[in-house]
Amino acid sequence: MPDLVIRNLHANIADSDTEILKGIDLELSKGEIHAIMGPNGSGKSTLSHVLMGHPGYDVTAGEVLFEGQNLLDLGADERSRAGLFLSFQYPFAVPGVTVANFIRMAVNAHRKGGPDGTDDPIRIPAYRKQLMEAMELLEIDKSMASRSLNDGFSGGEKKRFEILQMAMLKPKIAILDETDSGLDIDALRIVSEGINRLIGPDMGALIITHYQRILDYVTPDHVHILMDGRIVRSGGAELAHELEASGYANISQGVSSDGV
Amino acid sequence: MASETAAVDLGEYKWGFHDEENPVIKIERGLNEDVIRQISAHKGEPQWMLDFRLDAYEVFLSKPMPNWGADLSGIDFDNIFYYLKPTEHNSRSWDDVPETIKNTFERLGIPEAERKFLAGVGAQYESEVIYHSLKKELEDLGILFLDTGQALLEHEDLFREHFASIIPSADNKFSALNSAVWSGGSFIYVPPGVRVEQPLQAYFRINAENMGQFERTLIIVDEGAYVHYVEGCTAPTYSSDSLHSAVVEILVKKGGRCRYTTIQNWSNNVYNLVTKRAVAEEDATMEWVDGNLGSKVTMKYPAVILKGERAHGEILSIAFAGEGQHQDAGGKVTHVAPNTTSVITSKSISKDGGRSSYRGLLRVNKTAEGSKSKVVCDALIIDPQSRTDTYPYINIMADQVDIGHEATVSKLGAEHIYYLMSRGLSEAEASALIVAGFVEPITKELPLEYAVELNRLIQLQMEGSVG
Ligand SMILES: Nc1ncnc2c1ncn2[C@@H]1O[C@H](COP(=O)(O)OP(=O)(O)O)[C@@H](O)[C@H]1O
Ligand SMILES: [Mg+2]
């Protein structure tokens, strides 16, 4: 079975009748790169948050299996510790908590309750070494480690620090929600190269974007077009190019019947 | 004598246990002139102190209860024990402290902290200081650190010169009460130019039910000297109330510096009504770091009077109001001399229906030209049941001053917690971390040991009832 299986997923805004996801089916395994493209407001971020466990949405139908386990039964923290990661489109600031301390707490949370049931906090020197290596990979200035996470960071800096956290937490499946937006062309290249280095046989990725740009660096195995809460077309990397050339309106024309 | 009331289990509070009482003296409940005479007689005080106490008692009776701030209608002055002497002596060695009491202070971690990083320790249990120490080399420098009652007997001239000179008994109803029945507290004198590099710490423990603790602290930092004094406190959890009402007076002479740190962690049945005021002379610095986590009701506004030119005052205040708690805290600064500066930073957290109020007074007298002040108060509300209020009184009479004031109120959002949880932190860890980050501008000012302690207390307050 694929590592992540999404079947007929429907979701509303919590405590409302507003349906945003209208039946999503998707399968993804470690080692694969999938891209989801779609216009603004089509439900891309909603999908990523529903997968991660955002409290603001209700799943009304369907199921999600992560390594065979029912993901929707788990809290966001448990999903993270199970190996799911979301790079937020709009990351939150955590004033007064340094990048280094925050990521160390996250790393330690992932090391808790190992097979022997005990906590196994990472030793500080080992942690510092890993953090410095990851910062180097993403060309982040070392002094940034002692700044408060995302507090006063530019949009591009926030995205880099999302990927830094991904690098440190080593997820099995990572969802990258518009990681490319806010990055200038150099930053996009650096971050994309970092992502390429991290994705491998032990990690799969769902890259959400509405531009082709990032896909020039990170080549997807599959591309899905999301419109109005449904995947209306799926294909290979060439679909992204086709989309770039013809736009969403044409892609969707005449596809509503073969969509879901 | 076994205590009659079982401790109420309030869950997270770890210091709610109590010892069996074995007092040397316990004066009957309630307050009258005779009780005051008994206290004074037990202490073998000079006549002037008894007269001072009796005068203060008259003032206490004549003043109405404050009709602002927190609700104090639950205080029953007749139900309080005003004096309880737990041991025969104030010991200089923990080995001479009775076993039960010593064990309690062991549980509170005092002897260990003393060994690790303190220059001296005073431990008060009920009405009296039962243990006191000061490193020999500091004693040799002429530093005095002893219990206030003892200071009255041994250094009467120095004592009398300063006692009640900064906070007269008539300052407010509770300073009058303290003046009438005061017992224990710390007396510190640091000679000119002497810097005490490690903190001096006092720990205040209430044990008996319905106890009243009224310590009195007097600190004199002579010219160019420095001291950091830290106080901590806890009490057992009982179903009926106790009262803690202290008076703290500080004089920082020319070029001196005093830092006074409080980590107030009373159980949720203690009314905590404290008057604290410092005078800073020319080029002197006074810093209050005031952490209020415990108690049922706290009313406390540490004050600095900037009396000498270029004096600097700083107040860092953290209040955490949980279920059933009202923290009415803040600070007061009066700029008297020209070119004086002050900063008030207040951070409050309200949770589980708790209420925290920032109440501050900034006054710049006509004589204080060229003064600067900055007031920042930030409130964080954890859930919709909780409440925060800000009462910033600002009174500027001088020209050419630079005054800044900022206030923010934020709510701990579910999305914010979700962001942290998406990195693997539990809900409790996530909210505790956001709160720790919120108070970080203050904890970063503390010595590591106290910063860790404060964060741990905040974490305990955050645990259990999130969501
Ligand atoms: N919490 C919410 N409250 C109200 N509307 C929402 C909420 N979340 C998403 N939506 C709406 O759902 C639609 C999809 O949003 P989103 O998933 O953010 O789109 P995308 O990421 O594809 O741009 C939009 O119309 C958006 O306004
Ligand atoms: Mg989006």
Side-chain angles (χ1 to χ4, degrees):
Chain A
M1 200 205 294
D3 295 308
L4 180 68
V5 177
I6 303 170
R7 287 195 193 119
N8 188 34
L9 183 64
H10 288 253
N12 288 7
I13 293 167
D15 307 316
S16 84
D17 299 328
T18 314
E19 186 170 63
I20 310 287
L21 302 183
K22 301 174 178 171
I24 304 266
D25 289 87
L26 192 77
E27 296 186 344
L28 194 161
S29 280
K30 282 185 279 201
E32 294 175 1
I33 300 176
H34 290 235
I36 291 191
M37 303 182 72
N40 275 329
S42 55
K44 303 183 298 295
S45 292
T46 302
L47 173 62
S48 64
H49 285 309
V50 167
L51 293 176
M52 196 69 235
H54 191 298
Y57 301 96
D58 293 337
V59 173
T60 51
E63 64 175 351
V64 181
L65 301 176
F66 187 69
E67 297 188 314
Q69 191 185 13
N70 188 351
L71 192 71
L72 301 175
D73 286 348
L74 306 178
D77 53 334
E78 295 167 306
R79 298 183 197 194
S80 167
R81 296 196 295 266
L84 189 67
F85 181 86
L86 170 60
S87 168
F88 280 54
Q89 182 177 3
Y90 302 111
F92 283 81
V94 194
V97 180
T98 64
V99 168
N101 281 340
F102 180 76
I103 299 182
R104 185 158 55 89
M105 281 193 71
V107 167
N108 284 337
H110 279 248
R111 294 164 68 103
K112 247 180 216 170
D116 51 355
T118 54
D119 291 359
D120 175 25
I122 188 166
R123 303 197 39 203
I124 306 274
Y127 169 69
R128 287 207 71 83
K129 185 161 172 285
Q130 282 182 30
L131 183 66
M132 289 306 145
E133 282 170 7
M135 288 178 81
E136 233 157 75
L137 175 72
L138 296 166
E139 297 187 24
I140 296 172
D141 192 274
K142 287 193 172 119
S143 66
M144 295 280 287
S146 50
R147 290 211 10 212
S148 291
L149 180 65
N150 295 332
D151 193 16
F153 286 17
S154 71
E157 282 169 340
K158 287 182 188 171
K159 297 303 175 65
R160 264 193 224 220
F161 279 86
E162 292 293 284
I163 301 305
L164 177 67
Q165 294 176 60
M166 179 180 92
M168 294 297 291
L169 294 176
K170 303 184 177 64
K172 294 168 183 160
I173 302 288
I175 307 162
L176 308 182
D177 189 2
E178 293 203 27
T179 297
D180 48 348
S181 62
L183 294 177
D184 60 40
I185 193 72
D186 290 334
L188 179 65
R189 179 184 48 78
I190 294 160
V191 168
S192 302
E193 282 170 3
I195 292 169
N196 275 330
R197 292 265 290 276
L198 297 165
I199 297 175
D202 296 328
M203 181 176 150
L206 187 60
I207 296 177
I208 293 174
T209 180
H210 52 219
Y211 300 113
Q212 160 70 25
R213 292 201 312 165
I214 191 171
L215 304 179
D216 291 339
Y217 295 97
V218 186
T219 313
D221 304 302
H222 304 274
V223 174
H224 311 276
I225 311 278
L226 184 73
M227 293 185 75
D228 191 24
R230 291 187 183 90
I231 290 177
V232 295
R233 264 186 80 179
S234 293
E238 73 290 344
L239 184 56
H241 294 281
E242 189 185 323
L243 180 70
E244 190 83 339
S246 55
Y248 286 114
N250 293 319
I251 286 274
S252 68
Q253 256 166 32
V255 292
S256 51
S257 54
D258 66 45
V260 180
Chain B
M1 179 172 29
S3 58
E4 286 148 29
T5 314
V8 180
D9 183 14
L10 286 181
E12 298 304 332
Y13 189 72
K14 303 280 192 259
W15 304 267
F17 63 91
H18 62 269
D19 307 332
E20 205 168 289
E21 281 179 47
N22 196 6
V24 177
I25 297 163
K26 185 175 185 179
I27 299 179
E28 72 278 13
R29 282 176 207 272
L31 185 56
N32 52 50
E33 256 191 50
D34 184 53
V35 168
I36 293 167
R37 286 178 193 281
Q38 282 186 60
I39 294 172
S40 189
H42 283 310
K43 291 174 175 291
E45 290 175 347
Q47 182 65 36
W48 70 265
M49 182 55 77
L50 175 60
D51 295 342
F52 172 87
R53 288 177 182 276
L54 293 171
D55 280 352
Y57 181 54
E58 289 301 318
V59 175
F60 167 70
L61 291 178
S62 70
K63 280 197 183 281
M65 290 292 269
N67 59 1
W68 50 275
D71 176 10
L72 303 179
S73 60
I75 301 178
D76 179 359
F77 289 107
D78 297 331
N79 196 38
I80 298 288
F81 291 97
Y82 288 83
Y83 184 77
L84 193 165
K85 181 174 180 168
T87 62
E88 209 57 70
H89 306 287
N90 175 356
S91 307
R92 301 213 66 171
S93 157
W94 284 108
D95 292 337
D96 299 333
V97 175
E99 198 67 20
T100 1
I101 298 180
K102 185 176 133 190
N103 287 343
T104 288
F105 283 102
E106 293 275 2
R107 274 173 90 170
L108 298 167
I110 306 305
E112 194 192 342
E114 178 181 5
R115 285 191 296 273
K116 281 190 184 154
F117 61 87
L118 296 171
V121 165
Q124 178 158 346
Y125 190 90
E126 319 286 28
S127 303
E128 293 291 352
V129 177
I130 52 91
Y131 171 82
H132 224 281
S133 75
L134 177 65
K135 281 191 174 164
K136 175 83 174 58
E137 60 268 31
L138 296 176
E139 219 170 83
D140 293 345
L141 290 172
I143 296 168
L144 299 177
F145 177 43
L146 63 170
D147 106 59
T148 308
Q150 200 185 344
L152 166 61
L153 302 180
E154 294 176 12
H155 305 274
E156 191 175 337
D157 291 344
L158 182 63
F159 182 100
R160 201 170 178 177
E161 182 187 344
H162 297 288
F163 181 81
S165 66
I166 296 173
I167 304 175
S169 26
D171 188 80
N172 65 76
K173 189 171 179 78
F174 289 92
S175 65
L177 175 63
N178 174 282
S179 298
V181 297
W182 74 271
S183 182
S186 303
F187 180 90
I188 298 173
Y189 171 74
V190 189
V194 172
R195 295 181 56 84
V196 189
E197 296 298 346
Q198 288 178 305
L200 297 174
Q201 175 164 328
Y203 199 93
F204 297 91
R205 175 76 182 171
I206 289 176
N207 180 62
E209 188 170 15
N210 305 132
M211 191 61 213
Q213 195 175 54
F214 306 97
E215 88 272 7
R216 180 103 194 180
T217 288
L218 178 54
I219 300 177
I220 301 143
V221 180
D222 216 322
E223 295 188 1
Y226 166 70
V227 71
H228 182 189
Y229 175 82
V230 184
E231 61 177 5
C233 55
T234 54
T237 306
Y238 291 112
S239 53
S240 61
D241 299 328
S242 300
L243 174 61
H244 173 255
S245 189
V247 166
V248 176
E249 299 174 281
I250 300 178
L251 174 62
V252 193
K253 293 196 181 176
K254 186 175 173 179
R257 177 172 164 219
C258 178
R259 170 170 279 212
Y260 190 112
T261 297
T262 303
I263 298 183
Q264 182 271 104
N265 189 24
W266 294 119
S267 52
N268 285 3
N269 52 293
V270 176
Y271 282 90
N272 183 45
L273 308 163
V274 173
T275 310
K276 289 179 162 168
R277 191 173 304 153
V279 169
E281 294 187 345
E282 199 176 312
D283 294 307
T285 295
M286 176 66 212
E287 298 157 312
W288 296 103
V289 182
D290 200 38
N292 290 300
L293 292 121
S295 81
K296 175 179 188 172
V297 164
T298 283
M299 286 174 69
K300 174 154 49 109
Y301 326 96
V304 188
I305 297 169
L306 300 166
K307 193 175 157 202
E309 201 161 341
R310 294 174 303 277
H312 178 68
E314 191 132 349
I315 300 166
L316 301 171
S317 167
I318 297 183
F320 195 125
E323 189 180 354
Q325 290 183 288
H326 186 176
Q327 308 281 11
D328 199 273
K332 296 198 261 185
V333 177
T334 306
H335 292 255
V336 178
N339 303 313
T340 46
T341 52
S342 66
V343 179
I344 301 179
T345 309
S346 159
K347 298 264 181 179
S348 75
I349 301 139
S350 312
K351 174 171 176 279
D352 295 330
R355 178 175 174 196
S356 58
S357 315
Y358 166 78
R359 193 178 299 274
L361 173 65
L362 174 67
R363 193 187 147 103
V364 182
N365 287 1
K366 208 164 168 40
T367 47
E369 269 177 21
S371 292
K372 279 187 194 163
S373 178
K374 189 174 162 209
V375 179
V376 179
C377 40
D378 299 322
L380 180 64
I381 301 181
I382 304 295
D383 48 44
Q385 306 89 272
S386 302
R387 173 172 171 189
T388 185
D389 307 280
T390 307
Y391 308 95
Y393 302 99
I394 298 184
N395 186 355
I396 314 288
M397 287 161 286
D399 300 327
Q400 294 179 324
V401 294
D402 177 0
I403 308 295
H405 182 264
E406 293 166 26
T408 66
V409 176
S410 41
K411 296 193 166 69
L412 182 62
E415 278 195 272
H416 203 168
I417 292 180
Y418 156 67
Y419 177 67
L420 274 66
M421 288 177 73
S422 80
R423 304 316 189 215
L425 306 187
S426 68
E427 187 170 359
E429 286 170 335
S431 42
L433 189 63
I434 291 169
V435 172
F438 173 73
V439 299
E440 185 267 356
I442 293 178
T443 45
K444 75 163 190 250
E445 292 295 323
L446 295 174
L448 183 65
E449 292 82 0
Y450 298 104
V452 169
E453 167 78 0
L454 196 65
N455 276 329
R456 198 171 60 95
L457 294 176
I458 289 170
Q459 187 137 10
L460 282 169
Q461 290 257 41
M462 290 302 296
E463 263 170 24
S465 46
V466 177

